[in-house]
Every structure is written in structure tokens, then in C-alpha cells.
Amino acid sequence: MNDTVNDFKVTDRQTFIEFLELLRKDFGDNPENWENKTLPDFLEALSAYAEDIQGYYDNMKLNVNADKPDWSTFADIFKGAKIYE
């Protein structure tokens, strides 16, 4: 498993499960790096980031269609919700 949430590559359901465990561990170990520390705040950010993620992909010039997500898209949404304001 990779060392950080941002470096971890999600390619399928199993690696998404591993990613979620790494994300949970990251919250416990590094809460100061999380903008959204409560479940209501995190869920609100998760919803907002899911709505805005296509803009992220477009700005980064990534060839990803968020309307046809794969497991890595879901991981990107969770990573974004960690810091989204």
C-alpha cells in the first residue's frame, strides 16, 4: 500500500476499499490537514465536490468524464471532500 492518500492509486473495488481505510487512518493521524472534521461537514463537502469534480478534471486537463465514473473517480471525490471549503 502507498504511504499517503494522495499517492494511492485506485483501480478497482478492492483498491477503493484499501483507499478508504487509508483515508480513515489519515484522518486519525493528521486531523490538522482536514478542513471537514465532522461527519455533517464532510458529507456536505462530499456532495459539493461530487458536483464540482468535472471542473477539477477540466482545469487539470485530465481526460476524465465524471458522468461515467470509475473507482478512481470516487476516490478523487473523497480526497476532495477532505479539504473542500
Side-chain angles (χ1 to χ4, degrees), residues 5-38:
V5 170
N6 290 332
D7 294 335
F8 191 81
K9 301 298 181 214
V10 174
T11 58
D12 55 22
R13 186 174 65 89
Q14 185 57 46
T15 55
F16 182 71
I17 293 165
E18 293 170 19
F19 164 79
L20 289 177
E21 178 58 27
L22 190 61
L23 190 68
R24 183 196 62 76
K25 184 178 182 323
D26 182 68
F27 180 75
D29 293 346
N30 306 295
E32 68 280 358
N33 294 336
W34 285 63
E35 179 69 30
N36 302 297
K37 294 178 175 72
T38 68

Side-chain angles (χ1 to χ4, degrees), residues 52-62:
D52 293 345
I53 196 163
Q54 188 62 57
Y56 165 77
Y57 289 142
D58 294 345
N59 289 337
M60 298 301 290
K61 299 186 182 345
L62 300 171

Side-chain angles (χ1 to χ4, degrees), residues 48-81:
Y49 201 73
E51 185 174 334
D52 293 345
I53 196 163
Q54 188 62 57
Y56 165 77
Y57 289 142
D58 294 345
N59 289 337
M60 298 301 290
K61 299 186 182 345
L62 300 171
N63 187 22
V64 177
N65 181 351
D67 289 328
K68 296 183 180 181
D70 60 22
W71 289 106
S72 66
T73 307
F74 293 114
D76 289 342
I77 292 169
F78 274 79
K79 285 188 281 190

Side-chain angles (χ1 to χ4, degrees), residues 43-53 84:
L43 291 174
E44 181 179 1
L46 192 65
S47 174
Y49 201 73
E51 185 174 334
D52 293 345
I53 196 163
Y84 199 71

